[in-house]
Amino acid sequence: MNENKTQVIEFKLNNKKYCVDLNHVAEVVDKDDLTQIPNTPNHIEGVMDLRGETTTIINPKTVFDLQNNKNGKRIIVFENTNQNNNDNIGWIVDEVHQVRQITNEEIDNPIKTENVKGVIKEQTDFVIWVEPPKTQN
């Protein structure tokens, strides 16, 4: 039987594992100096220059209402899927763990929210599969 398989990239926020579909990820970079922008929403940490492109850096801990200890070391930069603008978006995460392949059988959908796509069961833990940010028009 041919199972549906998806590659995801796992990352950590506050020692918990999360993942996002690898098809949405452009690259992973080390956190560099961020320029804070006044009067922006709390989840926006600032912007950074990434090869001449301004990239807005979002803190998913704020978006997901997690304790924010601000120790992110890596940035997951997402593909820009909106053809109407050039907004590049990245998430600041504590660390990037691995890229792995999952099958539909590994995914539970106990909770449906705007940000959570499902839960992947591991032997002793869970990996929360989250949706990438949506670019604004």
Side-chain angles (χ1 to χ4, degrees), residues 6-98:
T6 305
Q7 283 195 316
V8 296
I9 186 165
E10 284 186 8
F11 57 93
K12 282 194 172 181
L13 300 171
N14 297 345
N15 295 319
K16 297 284 185 200
K17 288 189 209 174
Y18 295 81
C19 69
V20 68
D21 189 327
L22 190 60
N23 289 323
H24 299 295
V25 176
E27 62 184 312
V28 176
V29 298
D30 288 330
K31 179 185 166 201
D32 203 355
D33 290 335
L34 300 181
T35 301
Q36 293 185 331
I37 307 296
N39 302 320
T40 55
N42 286 345
H43 66 278
I44 297 178
E45 291 288 315
V47 295
M48 69 183 276
D49 180 23
L50 195 58
R51 280 179 282 298
E53 297 280 329
T54 301
T55 302
T56 302
I57 306 304
I58 293 174
N59 190 334
K61 292 177 185 177
T62 305
V63 174
F64 301 149
D65 200 24
L66 303 172
Q67 180 181 351
N68 188 1
N69 51 11
K70 298 216 183 223
N71 64 349
K73 298 179 183 99
R74 306 283 287 178
I75 294 182
I76 298 174
V77 181
F78 292 95
E79 292 283 348
N80 184 351
T81 57
N82 188 341
Q83 297 168 352
N84 296 328
N85 68 33
N86 294 329
D87 291 348
N88 295 314
I89 294 176
W91 277 358
I92 188 166
V93 299
D94 296 340
E95 62 184 74
V96 174
H97 211 46
Q98 67 180 344

Side-chain angles (χ1 to χ4, degrees), residues 112-116 131 134:
K112 281 287 187 192
T113 71
E114 179 183 351
N115 297 330
V116 176
E131 289 287 342
K134 297 187 179 25

